[in-house]
Amino acid sequence: MECIITIELGTNAVRVYAFDLNGNIIGSLKGYCPTFHSEPDYSEQDPDQIFITMLYVLKNLLNEVLHPKKYKVLCICFSSSMHSVLAVDKRGNPMGKAITWADNRANKEAAKLKNSTLGKKIYSATGTPLHPMSPLTKIAWIKNNEKEKFKQVSKFLSLKAYILQQLTGEYVIDYSIASATGLLNIHKIKWEPESLKFAGITAAMLPDLVPVDTKVGKLNKAYQASLGLSADTKILVGSSDGCMAVLGDGVNGEGVATITVEDSGAVRVVSDKVMQDDKQRFFNYLLTENKYISGGPTNNGGVIFEWFTRQFGDFKNPFDLEHTMLELINDASKVPAGSDGLIFLPYLLGERAPIWNPNARGVFFGINIKHEKSHFVRSAIEGILYEIYSIGKTLEEHRTINSLSINGSFGTLPFFTQMVADIYNKPVRLRQNYQSVSYGSYLLSATEMGIYKSLDEAAKTVVLPDLATPDKQNNKMYLKYFKIFERLSTKLASEFADIAALQHQ
Amino acid sequence: MNQFVLCHNTASELRLFPHIIEIGVIKNPAIRLNGFPCEIDRCLKLYYIQEGKFEWCINDRSYTLFPGDVALILPGTEFGNESNVLEIGCFSWIHLQVGKNEKGELENPAWSSLSDTESYAINKILQSDHTPILQKFTDAGVILKGIQTELFKQEIGFQARVNHLIDEIFIQVSRQFTRMSNPGRDFPKTFMKLEQELRQNLSHQWTVEEMAALVGLGTTLFNEKVKSYSGFSPLNYLINIRISEAIKLLKIPNISLTDIALDTGFYSSQHFSTTFKKLTGYTPSEFRKNHIGTN
């Protein structure tokens, strides 16, 4: 029997799935990797720990599930979070830890660039919002703040590029990950000279640019032996988690948007055209040469509801977050849509799309004497999803969205899914059981292997079985409150700036 | 309980307990100047407030203690009232002689019936970075009172009982500290703290019991939580960190493989080599050669 392995290098964990050739899951395992915060603005991961964790989890899955059942692994396909930066020396050894998407050290570099003419030019060439998440601004930060280190850097890699280099000896970066660096001209699919100049590097300091279905060399002999894999196992470079989630949900043309709600979240659409936005509110990432995934990210997804649960939930057993969360959701379901006029702005972590305001903060608005704890719970969830809606609504200035698909650990909670349908007033499709990101990697692998003729055909085969249909009554209620939510989000800008300044003291 | 003070070199009650330097209760009806100086001692001190309000300084930070509060002063820590004033109120205390090993860790004393592993974990908790004050911890007062009663009555078995009660204080105080720093809500944060602790003492032969104690969980629940959160059993997660750290050290020339093995917590270079090869397919020296070349 033959199988395909997908490896997802996420911010908190490495997830390994095995699929049979028809796309059924044979097994899956995960391994946690910590994010380190040595300074308040810093967010780093240890590349070697990710590598070891990946090997460990992969080996366990092989030894526990695949080898005993005599599966032959035809292909291993990678995906990873976007925007990571890892400096390596001339031997390819990491110079410190990798900087993740959540790192804000390049705040100044990003703010300065955003307000300049060069910034506008770079945004329209690269499609990546000018923000400290972008590797462009992170490399510029290293150039400006760690001059000695910068001189010694041989290459700037993404975490995935490092892992692939460890496994195969090759330096490659796929179009998707590259298009999220702020360094790639997404129209020409070449490194953008203006970006390179701003970052102070040359194209030779970046990995080789390759399409997402590229086979990367061969697995090193030692790993073939330790994992029990044959030399002809294909290693596919793969894509980013965001792009894979869209593919995995089968979203492939206009009219459909994909919503992801994990800790953070995003709303994405697919098109063969770049979405040019004068206000620089959206990203445009490449899945393939002519397929752009455009959309907006939010910092404040499920992580905010988790925070709420930890503060206000009733923990019957130590660390039983899941159960406590479900009890709160149960409370929330007893309150009518709109939480009787209690509105929550979820910006505890500042916000990206659509307001792009790092100083934004959380707000409960409209509290009256009749509000109870359950109103606060419901409005917390509504606030998180209003934010998701505000991204979708801005996307609709550029694209028509008739229906939605949803994924992610929070998005697929029935209460969340139904609320998304009601707020958007659109039907929402979802898939339980497994992650869209991994399924996207399966589809990409299967297409490369010729099981599907094209990614289009592969995407068309995706059936999302469950459907939430919108409740018109609730929608009317939500929209009334959303208008206030939207106004508050921008109206409070100067107060957000003041309070953030005080909090930074 | 009336006021009293027993000191180890004068009190016959302490003859069998050389590790109790001092134990006592004071009821102070009026402010006493020159009554409570800031001092550094080599013993471990525990104070329990019964009545009144006390402004005490521990390691250059001042704390206000109320009835029911406990102050734990580790050896070598400056402690007292900044103006050398003994305030009005009532409190009891015990000073204990505890040895330290070369790493500065508290040793498991001979009189204790704690196992070495338990004692290691408790000392880790006591020495970890937290406030020295436990608020509203009346259990400590009850145990102290128990020790005093045993010492004065000297009924059959009192030697064992006193030592048990001292163990009991350590156990309860450390449990209370972990409950305080891990309120049982935020596993990611708790796990992160544990992970830091493991990394800082990677050469230690950690047991699951020790790790669980640091988090304030029983081992069964601890195993379950770590497995579902990290995907690994606690010990496998530890191996994961060990190998990840070893990889970094292997890329630095001039550190011997034996040193790397021991620093990262393997029993021997042989054990290191086998574990490393099993996972990566390379022996540590092959891996090193690939990454820093032969020179």
Side-chain angles (χ1 to χ4, degrees):
Chain A
M1 283 180 292
E2 295 165 324
C3 72
I4 291 167
I5 289 181
T6 68
I7 299 181
E8 185 188 341
L9 308 166
T11 320
N12 296 315
V14 175
R15 292 187 169 81
V16 182
Y17 282 78
F19 292 89
D20 67 19
L21 298 190
N22 300 318
N24 303 308
I25 293 192
I26 309 164
S28 73
L29 283 177
K30 72 160 182 186
Y32 163 83
C33 276
T35 302
F36 301 93
H37 306 278
S38 56
E39 308 268 339
D41 270 344
Y42 285 23
S43 233
E44 298 180 325
Q45 285 189 297
D46 177 357
D48 289 316
Q49 187 168 3
I50 293 186
F51 180 63
I52 285 301
T53 305
M54 190 272 299
L55 274 185
Y56 215 133
V57 176
L58 176 60
K59 196 178 159 97
N60 283 348
L61 186 68
L62 286 164
N63 288 344
E64 288 167 18
V65 183
L66 301 179
H67 292 330
K69 291 187 187 158
K70 306 260 185 279
Y71 273 103
K72 180 174 166 57
V73 180
L74 297 183
C75 170
I76 301 180
C77 179
F78 284 82
S79 68
S80 77
S81 2
M82 294 179 270
H83 312 304
S84 62
V85 171
L86 174 66
V88 297
D89 65 16
K90 59 182 191 305
R91 291 197 177 277
N93 293 332
M95 300 169 68
K97 296 199 171 76
I99 308 175
T100 77
W101 63 271
D103 192 288
N104 278 321
R105 75 185 72 183
N107 234 324
K108 275 191 200 143
E109 280 75 10
K112 221 172 119 188
L113 189 57
K114 188 165 183 170
N115 297 318
S116 67
T117 27
L118 176 65
K120 286 203 177 70
K121 218 167 136 189
I122 289 184
Y123 172 72
S124 60
T126 66
T128 307
L130 301 163
H131 184 269
M133 70 183 183
S134 153
L136 166 74
T137 60
K138 286 173 175 145
I139 297 174
W141 183 91
I142 299 174
K143 180 187 69 173
N144 297 338
N145 294 280
E146 297 184 337
K147 296 198 170 74
E148 278 314 301
K149 173 179 170 179
F150 189 76
K151 277 188 218 156
Q152 307 295 318
V153 176
S154 165
K155 277 187 194 301
F156 285 100
L157 307 180
S158 71
L159 266 172
K160 190 168 79 172
Y162 177 70
I163 300 299
L164 286 170
Q165 193 272 336
Q166 292 296 298
L167 288 174
T168 67
E170 313 252 331
Y171 287 108
V172 288
I173 186 166
D174 66 85
Y175 289 172
S176 300
I177 294 285
S179 66
T181 58
L183 297 161
L184 185 81
N185 184 313
I186 54 170
H187 311 276
K188 300 178 186 159
I189 318 188
K190 287 202 170 95
W191 298 116
E192 168 59 36
E194 297 279 9
S195 293
L196 295 177
K197 204 169 127 198
F198 179 80
I201 58 171
T202 60
M205 293 172 76
L206 296 167
D208 297 338
L209 259 176
V210 297
V212 292
D213 57 357
T214 303
K215 286 174 292 220
V216 192
K218 272 201 168 38
L219 198 57
N220 281 351
K221 280 221 170 73
Y223 299 122
Q224 292 174 23
S226 70
L227 296 168
L229 292 173
S230 69
D232 57 0
T233 310
K234 280 182 199 170
I235 308 290
L236 281 195
V237 60
S239 173
S240 66
D241 50 7
C243 292
M244 286 299 201
V246 177
L247 178 63
D249 272 5
V251 174
N252 195 39
E254 303 208 2
V256 189
T258 303
I259 295 172
T260 303
V261 194
E262 292 279 354
D263 281 355
S264 57
V267 185
R268 304 180 176 95
V269 293
V270 184
S271 164
D272 53 5
K273 288 187 290 290
V274 175
M275 188 185 287
Q276 290 291 4
D277 185 61
D278 294 341
K279 295 179 195 153
Q280 305 185 21
R281 288 172 300 184
F282 304 116
F283 56 70
N284 287 282
Y285 300 140
L286 277 165
L287 177 57
T288 59
E289 286 86 338
N290 51 10
K291 219 174 264 307
Y292 294 95
I293 297 197
S294 313
T298 165
N299 294 344
N300 302 293
V303 66
I304 302 304
F305 190 55
E306 267 188 28
W307 168 85
F308 189 94
T309 305
R310 279 200 293 273
Q311 309 310 318
F312 308 112
D314 183 11
F315 280 71
K316 302 222 164 64
N317 295 306
F319 301 118
D320 194 0
L321 188 71
E322 208 165 312
H323 188 244
T324 313
M325 218 177 311
L326 292 177
E327 285 204 333
L328 282 182
I329 291 177
N330 191 30
D331 283 354
S333 67
K334 291 174 186 143
V335 175
S339 303
D340 290 325
L342 181 60
I343 295 173
F344 175 61
L345 309 191
Y347 309 129
L348 274 65
L349 294 166
E351 192 50 289
R352 290 186 283 171
I355 59 171
W356 294 96
N357 183 355
N359 294 325
R361 291 294 181 270
V363 176
F364 274 106
F365 182 79
I367 311 169
N368 69 40
I369 200 83
K370 286 184 183 159
H371 286 138
E372 295 174 2
K373 184 177 155 193
S374 46
H375 289 91
F376 283 82
V377 183
R378 182 167 187 122
S379 78
I381 301 172
E382 288 176 351
I384 293 165
L385 298 180
Y386 285 153
E387 158 57 25
I388 297 273
Y389 176 57
S390 69
I391 301 173
K393 193 168 162 270
T394 358
L395 281 172
E396 283 187 298
E397 293 170 18
H398 298 267
R399 297 280 190 275
T400 315
I401 301 172
N402 303 319
S403 70
L404 304 162
S405 76
I406 196 161
N407 56 56
S409 48
F410 286 90
T412 49
L413 291 171
F415 190 71
F416 278 61
T417 312
Q418 184 59 48
M419 203 183 269
V420 168
D422 292 353
I423 295 176
Y424 272 85
N425 197 24
K426 295 183 202 310
V428 181
R429 292 207 169 268
L430 80 156
R431 182 212 327 262
Q432 298 290 355
N433 303 333
Y434 56 89
Q435 290 212 329
S436 301
V437 176
S438 304
Y439 196 69
S441 300
Y442 156 76
L443 289 177
L444 180 67
S445 311
T447 306
E448 195 281 335
M449 290 160 58
I451 297 174
Y452 301 110
K453 284 198 202 86
S454 64
L455 280 183
D456 286 338
E457 191 194 294
K460 278 192 195 115
T461 64
V462 175
V463 183
L464 300 180
D466 299 310
L467 182 75
T469 46
D471 176 317
K472 298 262 182 290
Q473 269 337 86
N474 285 352
N475 174 255
K476 268 186 205 149
M477 194 57 98
Y478 284 134
L479 287 190
K480 279 182 202 162
Y481 292 119
F482 175 74
K483 278 183 191 138
I484 303 175
F485 173 95
E486 204 179 20
R487 286 212 302 276
L488 285 173
S489 299
T490 47
K491 206 174 220 171
L492 291 175
S494 63
E495 285 76 14
F496 283 151
D498 289 350
I499 198 74
L502 285 174
Q503 289 176 358
H504 273 301
Q505 278 176 5
Chain B
M1 174 93 25
N2 291 323
Q3 304 194 71
F4 74 92
V5 182
L6 302 176
C7 291
H8 75 296
N9 42 11
T10 52
S12 62
E13 289 87 345
L14 296 183
R15 198 173 39 85
L16 292 170
F17 309 98
H19 47 286
I20 303 182
I21 304 289
E22 197 177 296
I23 181 166
V25 175
I26 189 166
K27 286 183 178 167
N28 188 33
I31 285 186
R32 216 189 294 166
L33 301 173
N34 300 321
F36 209 69
C38 275
E39 285 171 344
I40 298 182
D41 273 321
R42 281 165 59 192
C43 54
L44 182 143
K45 304 173 176 178
L46 188 114
Y47 284 78
Y48 176 75
I49 310 297
Q50 293 174 7
E51 285 165 30
K53 178 183 158 194
F54 295 86
E55 296 281 343
W56 284 342
C57 190
I58 305 168
N59 242 358
D60 280 338
R61 277 199 58 184
S62 69
Y63 298 89
T64 310
L65 288 97
F66 296 97
D69 290 356
V70 169
L72 176 80
I73 295 97
L74 294 171
T77 308
E78 190 173 27
F79 165 70
N81 177 281
E82 247 175 330
S83 326
N84 192 3
V85 170
L86 181 63
E87 291 141 299
I88 300 168
C90 175
F91 58 84
S92 52
W93 74 91
I94 187 166
H95 293 178
L96 293 164
Q97 177 77 52
V98 281
K100 277 191 181 183
N101 64 17
E102 68 279 8
K103 283 190 201 156
E105 295 160 348
L106 302 177
E107 276 175 346
N108 189 15
W111 49 265
S112 168
S113 46
L114 292 167
S115 72
D116 283 351
T117 334
E118 283 174 327
S119 167
Y120 179 89
I122 285 177
N123 290 331
K124 264 264 160 287
I125 293 164
L126 297 184
Q127 290 187 295
S128 65
D129 191 24
H130 50 61
T131 156
I133 309 297
L134 289 168
Q135 286 172 341
K136 296 264 176 240
F137 191 47
T138 48
D139 290 4
V142 175
I143 303 169
L144 272 180
K145 210 166 182 175
I147 297 175
Q148 293 154 13
T149 312
E150 291 288 344
L151 282 175
F152 285 118
K153 287 194 175 164
Q154 310 213 341
E155 285 184 63
I156 182 73
F158 82 100
Q159 186 180 2
R161 285 281 293 146
V162 167
N163 287 336
H164 282 167
L165 285 166
I166 298 176
D167 277 345
E168 176 76 6
I169 284 200
F170 280 114
I171 294 169
Q172 294 305 339
V173 164
S174 56
R175 284 188 184 177
Q176 189 68 10
F177 273 125
T178 51
R179 270 196 288 268
M180 220 168 59
S181 49
N182 305 299
R185 288 171 177 251
D186 196 341
F187 195 76
K189 206 159 137 193
T190 302
F191 191 73
M192 197 68 207
K193 275 200 285 193
L194 172 68
E195 136 126 1
Q196 263 170 17
E197 194 61 47
L198 298 178
R199 279 174 194 277
Q200 276 162 19
N201 299 282
L202 212 49
S203 60
H204 176 68
Q205 297 305 317
W206 288 95
T207 65
V208 179
E209 288 75 19
E210 284 168 359
M211 292 191 245
L214 286 182
V215 176
L217 290 177
T219 50
T220 317
L221 188 57
F222 177 71
N223 266 319
E224 194 182 296
K225 286 282 160 199
V226 172
K227 178 86 191 156
S228 79
Y229 181 68
S230 78
F232 294 107
S233 73
L235 289 178
N236 282 342
Y237 188 77
L238 190 60
I239 293 180
N240 192 355
I241 306 182
R242 290 195 160 129
I243 301 270
S244 312
E245 286 305 308
I247 281 192
K248 273 192 263 311
L249 295 174
L250 284 172
K251 289 174 188 169
I252 305 170
N254 305 327
I255 308 182
S256 80
L257 293 185
T258 314
D259 283 349
I260 295 178
L262 298 180
D263 282 355
T264 52
F266 293 95
Y267 308 113
S268 62
S269 47
Q270 188 54 45
H271 177 217
F272 172 45
S273 194
T274 331
T275 316
F276 194 88
K277 173 143 192 183
K278 218 161 88 186
L279 188 58
T280 66
Y282 294 104
T283 65
S285 37
E286 283 165 357
F287 186 89
R288 170 172 264 180
K289 213 166 126 190
N290 291 343
H291 284 84
I292 57 177
T294 38
N295 304 324

